[in-house]
Amino acid sequence: MSTILFLSREGVRNTLLRIWPQPTNVDKSYTAISVAQCANLAALPFFFGLPTTLVAITLYAYFASEATGNQPHFYLALFSYATAAVAELLSEPMHNRAMGEVRTDVRVRAEGLGIIIKTITTYLILLYDSNSRHPSELALMAFALGQLAYSATVFWVYKSQFPELSLWPTSLPKQQRTFKLNRQSLWSHSVVEFFDPDALHLSLSMTSQSIVKHFLTEGDKFLVSYWSPLQNQGGYAIAVNYGSLIARIVFQPIEEMCRVYFSRVLSGTTSEKGSTTATAETSDNLAALDQASGAVASLLSVQIAFSMLVVAFGPPYLPIALQLLLPAQYTSTSAPSVLSAWIWYIPVLALNGGLEAFYSSVATPQDMRTQSRWMLAFSIIYTLSATALYNLGFGDTSLVYANIVNLTARIWYTATFIVVYFGKRMKYHQFSFASVVPGWKFSGMVVLSVLAISRNEARQHLAEEVQQLGRRALFSTRVLTHVALGGGLGIVLELVLLVSYNYLGMASEVVVEPIDEAQLAGDNGQIYLFQWLAALEKSLREAAVDQLKSTQSSVEETLLKVVCGNDSYPLPGRGLRNLAARCFIIQYTRGDSRTLFDTLRALLKTAGDLKIDKNPLRIAAFWTIGELMATFGSQVRPETLALLKLQFNSSLQFMSHLAEIATYLRENLQVL
């Protein structure tokens, strides 16, 4: 059932998150599709699901083993699961409407009540079955009917919230058909009548890619059923279920929230045709890009810190936790070794989820096709890694380690894409290696904690005690002391992490230090100015927006003195003008850009002033103008740009007249 739902709706869901119109969108050119077009697109998963369901249940019934097919009511249960899948797909128009309008309370009510009804239905049928003459006869039907009850409940709750919403695509009024095709074949005419062709193309690209993703996600289940004996399959299943609890409870909600967040924040940076490169970088877009780059950097930084805690505390305390998690009959299977491998799998799982959430929020159809080709390569890498590791004697853990290799490759791909994405749209952004690595204080404390835990474990011989006593070791004084040590160190690390991210409000406010002009007069004035500009750049990146705006006028005045010259300031060389230009860009990206025109006029005045005999000043002014126009040129109004051109042309004309006079005098002097 998970295969049917994933292949039928995942691509459409991701597309609608990106393009659902927002009431705050004033510029209609950035609204990719109307609400009516979105509603029609949201109805497609049901039509995708019908053939997918038919193919899935046919293949499952055909390839099911004899033991599986001989279960009581097997085919009736299979039909019930198929009906539940189709019923759940009928809820997609209403689910996507709720997510598009950010009404998460509706989704929580629908899915929460559905889970409750599913649990009650399954429990009551199993209870009845246990007291019947033929126990376990209805076990398979209990879970199938529970799933059917879940789908029916979700549909009922959604329908009660959106009673007017049609479950079928409806023909759009002509004024809403915003996309026209030159050569309208029967197919293209039908598409324009119901859908936005670009959005439909994007959803189909994402749907086709979901096939490869689903293989990479579920491939281990196929391989373990082929390689492992039945006993180890049970151990692998329980280990994966325990490990995936973290993914379902923690990572999946974060990934879904990231999809919604990045789709909303970066909706204005994607053009009408889905191209993320054709949109003019307005001040709003630059602010959105800066916000998104900071969010990605913060998300990865927190996830890396969390991963460090998992890797530090997981290996020494997993043997103790296994005494609680695993039933006795599973301790002799592959479950303990698989759970040990999952400790290293969790960090890459966390990083990959956030990065791919960003990718799916901004990728164009061309990007999706490129990623699909890479996904095929990653599938080959996964299969080869799993086969090689299994042949080397890793057993079922080879599947987990192969997944680590696969996700590492996907992390590399999406991280590279994000760096290029921000690099093409922003001169300077917050997403970098330095911005995602936790600070040295936290990293140092993690290393000290690992050393303390390892030393205590070796000194107390806890591994041998846990192995000998089994579950009785949970009541051992030495084991409890060891657990208390880990808990205390964990609390300390959490406090260090919270303080370093200023979640407790204990970090000091970023201070934008004013320049000390007295130090510019000495021999080391240029060195002092360089250091001050470097510190200013760092402060402008880290300061809150309100604080940055409060100091903006004084900072701009100082930067203009650096570039345009002042009696007490040293001449701006390459290093100084680069730093000054970067500070201007950060100031106008994160702060108020209304004074950008005044700054450009001041710079043009210096660049075109022939009375200035100091070439470094004019070079610095020209350089800063070029950097500012490269970043903000598309947002300068035409009338403002005309004034700037007029001022610049007047300077060039005057310079041209002087050049003609100089040429005339030189030629006449040569004749004489």
Side-chain angles (χ1 to χ4, degrees):
M1 181 171 175
S2 62
T3 300
I4 297 171
L5 295 177
F6 186 85
L7 296 181
S8 302
R9 70 188 184 186
E10 191 70 15
V12 175
R13 280 188 172 187
N14 291 338
T15 301
L16 289 173
L17 280 178
R18 293 175 52 172
I19 64 176
W20 198 281
Q22 298 302 300
T24 56
N25 285 350
V26 179
D27 191 344
K28 298 301 181 182
S29 64
Y30 294 139
T31 304
I33 196 170
S34 67
V35 174
Q37 289 170 319
C38 282
N40 285 345
L41 191 62
L44 285 183
F46 173 76
F47 297 98
F48 291 161
L50 291 177
T52 305
T53 302
L54 181 62
V55 172
I57 63 174
T58 302
L59 291 177
Y60 188 83
Y62 181 78
F63 288 104
S65 63
E66 184 178 354
T68 302
N70 288 334
Q71 295 179 90
H73 309 293
F74 170 75
Y75 291 100
L76 181 59
L78 191 62
F79 177 77
S80 300
Y81 273 115
T83 306
V86 173
E88 191 167 342
L89 290 175
L90 272 176
S91 305
E92 282 302 295
M94 298 169 286
H95 169 87
N96 287 298
R97 178 73 171 268
M99 297 304 295
E101 297 176 357
V102 199
R103 296 177 60 181
T104 52
D105 58 316
V106 177
R107 180 184 180 183
V108 170
R109 275 201 303 273
E111 296 183 359
L113 183 61
I115 291 174
I116 293 173
I117 298 299
K118 173 184 177 180
T119 304
I120 293 174
T121 302
T122 305
Y123 173 77
L124 290 177
I125 296 176
L126 288 175
L127 181 64
Y128 172 80
D129 182 54
S130 63
N131 296 322
S132 65
R133 294 182 179 180
H134 305 285
S136 301
E137 185 178 0
L138 298 177
L140 193 59
M141 284 300 301
F143 292 99
L145 293 177
Q147 189 64 47
L148 185 60
Y150 170 85
S151 300
T153 304
V154 168
F155 177 82
W156 174 76
V157 174
Y158 273 133
K159 193 61 180 175
S160 65
Q161 293 295 321
F162 303 102
E164 77 290 349
L165 192 61
S166 173
L167 304 181
W168 308 93
T170 56
S171 180
L172 299 171
K174 290 185 178 180
Q175 61 269 23
Q176 289 190 4
R177 299 176 194 175
T178 55
F179 292 83
K180 297 180 180 180
L181 302 178
N182 294 327
R183 299 179 179 178
Q184 290 197 353
S185 62
L186 180 61
W187 164 251
S188 61
H189 177 76
S190 301
V191 168
V192 175
E193 188 176 358
F194 291 95
F195 307 105
D196 166 30
D198 296 314
L200 180 62
H201 184 204
L202 180 61
S203 64
L204 292 176
S205 298
M206 289 188 169
T207 300
S208 61
Q209 190 189 70
S210 64
I211 299 175
V212 183
K213 281 189 174 182
H214 191 64
F215 169 75
L216 292 175
T217 304
E218 305 293 332
D220 59 335
K221 297 178 182 177
F222 298 111
L223 293 176
V224 76
S225 63
Y226 176 76
W227 280 338
S228 298
L230 191 60
Q231 182 183 12
N232 277 346
Q233 290 182 33
Y236 183 85
I238 193 172
V240 169
N241 285 332
Y242 273 130
S244 61
L245 280 177
I246 298 177
R248 295 171 186 168
I249 297 173
V250 180
F251 300 152
Q252 184 177 359
I254 292 176
E255 185 175 346
E256 291 183 357
M257 287 188 294
C258 286
R259 280 201 183 98
V260 175
Y261 172 78
F262 291 126
S263 298
R264 296 293 176 264
V265 170
L266 298 174
S267 59
T269 63
T270 304
S271 70
E272 191 173 277
K273 293 186 177 182
S275 171
T276 54
T277 59
T279 305
E281 300 302 339
T282 64
S283 57
D284 291 339
N285 286 352
L286 288 171
L289 288 166
D290 184 69
Q291 181 181 351
S293 65
V296 175
S298 299
L299 174 66
L300 292 184
S301 182
V302 172
Q303 288 178 331
I304 290 175
F306 168 78
S307 301
M308 292 173 66
L309 293 177
V310 171
V311 172
F313 289 87
Y317 287 101
L318 181 63
I320 300 174
L322 289 178
Q323 302 303 322
L324 288 174
L325 297 177
L326 289 181
Q329 63 268 30
Y330 286 104
T331 56
S332 58
T333 65
S334 61
S337 59
V338 172
L339 281 172
S340 298
W342 259 81
I343 292 175
W344 304 96
Y345 185 39
I346 288 174
V348 293
L349 200 63
L351 293 175
N352 182 71
L355 291 173
E356 291 207 341
F358 180 90
Y359 187 93
S360 64
S361 300
V362 301
T364 64
Q366 177 60 39
D367 295 328
M368 301 302 298
R369 287 192 293 270
T370 303
Q371 190 191 33
S372 296
R373 289 192 289 268
W374 279 95
M375 284 288 185
L376 291 175
F378 298 154
S379 302
I380 296 173
I381 293 174
Y382 168 75
T383 305
L384 293 178
S385 300
T387 305
L389 291 172
Y390 188 83
N391 291 332
L392 290 174
F394 282 80
D396 290 345
T397 59
S398 61
L399 301 174
V400 182
Y401 291 125
N403 270 324
I404 294 175
V405 174
N406 163 48
L407 287 187
T408 302
R410 289 163 65 176
I411 288 171
W412 164 79
Y413 179 84
T414 50
T416 304
F417 172 86
I418 293 173
V419 171
V420 173
Y421 176 86
F422 286 120
K424 286 182 177 179
R425 291 157 181 80
M426 301 177 69
K427 193 72 175 179
Y428 308 103
H429 54 80
Q430 302 180 50
F431 183 72
S432 62
F433 177 78
S435 64
V436 301
V437 177
W440 65 269
K441 294 180 181 178
F442 176 77
S443 302
M445 285 297 300
V446 170
V447 173
L448 292 177
S449 299
V450 171
L451 293 176
I453 292 172
S454 301
R455 180 175 176 81
N456 184 68
E457 182 180 15
R459 187 174 59 183
Q460 301 292 338
H461 304 288
L462 295 176
E464 295 83 353
E465 183 168 354
V466 170
Q467 187 174 5
Q468 292 175 359
L469 298 179
R471 291 198 171 185
R472 290 180 299 164
L474 298 174
F475 304 98
S476 169
T477 303
R478 289 189 293 179
V479 172
L480 293 176
T481 303
H482 187 62
V483 172
L485 172 64
L489 291 173
I491 293 173
V492 171
L493 286 171
E494 289 294 331
L495 291 175
V496 173
L497 186 64
L498 292 174
V499 170
S500 64
Y501 285 109
N502 196 22
Y503 290 147
L504 299 180
M506 298 175 62
S508 58
E509 185 181 12
V510 177
V511 178
V512 181
E513 293 285 351
I515 193 169
D516 184 4
E517 294 187 355
Q519 298 194 40
L520 297 174
D523 296 335
N524 296 324
Q526 196 167 24
I527 297 176
Y528 167 76
L529 182 57
F530 184 89
Q531 293 174 343
W532 181 83
L533 286 171
L536 175 65
E537 181 185 11
K538 185 174 184 294
S539 299
L540 293 178
R541 291 184 186 278
E542 297 176 354
V545 175
D546 293 338
Q547 182 189 2
L548 186 143
K549 290 182 178 180
S550 65
T551 60
Q552 182 162 344
S553 60
S554 60
V555 169
E556 287 177 1
E557 182 181 355
T558 304
L559 291 175
L560 284 175
K561 289 180 181 180
V562 173
V563 177
C564 298
N566 187 276
D567 292 339
S568 58
Y569 282 69
L571 293 176
R574 179 180 298 177
L576 293 179
R577 67 174 182 251
N578 284 343
L579 280 172
R582 290 205 296 265
C583 290
F584 270 126
I585 291 172
I586 298 170
Q587 184 79 69
Y588 291 128
T589 299
R590 303 191 64 227
D592 193 348
S593 61
R594 287 179 295 181
T595 57
L596 175 61
F597 174 68
D598 297 328
T599 299
L600 288 172
R601 288 193 62 182
L603 293 170
L604 279 171
K605 183 178 179 181
T606 300
D609 191 353
L610 297 178
K611 296 179 182 179
I612 299 177
D613 58 353
K614 300 175 180 178
N615 286 332
L617 292 178
R618 296 174 61 190
I619 293 173
F622 272 119
W623 174 268
T624 308
I625 292 170
E627 293 293 287
L628 289 174
M629 292 302 292
T631 305
F632 304 103
S634 59
Q635 67 172 286
V636 178
R637 296 180 179 179
E639 58 271 19
T640 303
L641 192 59
L643 289 174
L644 292 173
K645 287 181 177 179
L646 181 62
Q647 180 177 347
F648 185 64
N649 288 336
S650 63
S651 300
L652 287 180
Q653 288 175 3
F654 183 64
M655 294 169 65
S656 177
H657 290 320
L658 289 181
E660 290 177 4
I661 294 172
T663 302
Y664 174 78
L665 291 174
R666 184 180 61 185
E667 291 176 352
N668 284 275
L669 287 173
Q670 288 176 353
V671 171
L672 294 174

